[in-house]
Amino acid sequence: MKERREAVPHRVAQTVAVLLGLVLLAAPVGGVVLYGGAREEATQQMLLGRLDQADRLVQTVKDQPFATAEPYYRKALTAYRDLSNHHPDSRAAQRVPDRLHPYYTRSALRTTSRTTATRSRR
């Protein structure tokens, strides 16, 4: 009977040790998963920031003559292209097509008004 009493605490100790070992192994794995998700979200936010910055460039120069605005339009187009080509699966890249219509509308209007002004001077 004495042997049986000693065996029960030994089994409990083994069970506790195994459970603690599993918890200690699971904690770093959970941390890696959480870190990966946080890193992915930070990347998405950074790319959305680039998209917003390009949109602001287009919005800022919308009333300027094309000659003045052209470098800003080129910079915005470069940002849109970079997002689409280098980060195609990002949320920002998914939004680029919606941004191109206003971009082309504004830049085309600036080009058209410049061409019209040049023709009227002749």
Side-chain angles (χ1 to χ4, degrees):
M1 198 171 234
K2 206 175 197 186
E3 289 177 19
R4 188 172 180 153
R5 284 185 188 169
E6 290 176 9
V8 171
H10 183 64
R11 282 192 181 146
V12 171
Q14 281 181 335
T15 304
V16 169
V18 168
L19 289 175
L20 284 174
L22 289 174
V23 168
L24 290 174
L25 287 173
V29 171
V32 167
V33 169
L34 291 175
Y35 172 76
R39 191 174 111 197
E40 176 63 27
E41 183 57 28
T43 302
Q44 292 292 330
Q45 292 300 319
M46 179 200 57
L47 295 172
L48 287 169
R50 286 185 194 175
L51 180 64
D52 288 340
Q53 186 177 16
D55 292 342
R56 282 193 302 275
L57 281 173
V58 173
Q59 184 65 26
T60 300
V61 297
K62 71 177 183 177
D63 295 325
Q64 295 181 10
F66 183 77
T68 306
E70 185 176 9
Y72 298 96
Y73 286 130
R74 288 188 186 281
K75 189 172 183 180
L77 186 59
T78 299
Y80 293 144
R81 188 179 306 129
D82 177 62
L83 289 169
S84 294
N85 292 344
H86 299 295
H87 309 281
D89 297 329
S90 69
R91 293 191 306 248
Q94 302 303 315
R95 296 176 185 181
V96 166
D98 295 334
R99 301 316 208 278
L100 288 177
H101 184 266
Y103 167 84
Y104 283 117
T105 300
R106 288 188 179 108
S107 62
L109 287 174
R110 298 294 125 216
T111 305
T112 304
S113 63
R114 182 180 76 170
T115 305
T116 305
T118 304
R119 285 184 187 156
S120 64
R121 286 186 211 157
R122 290 182 188 173

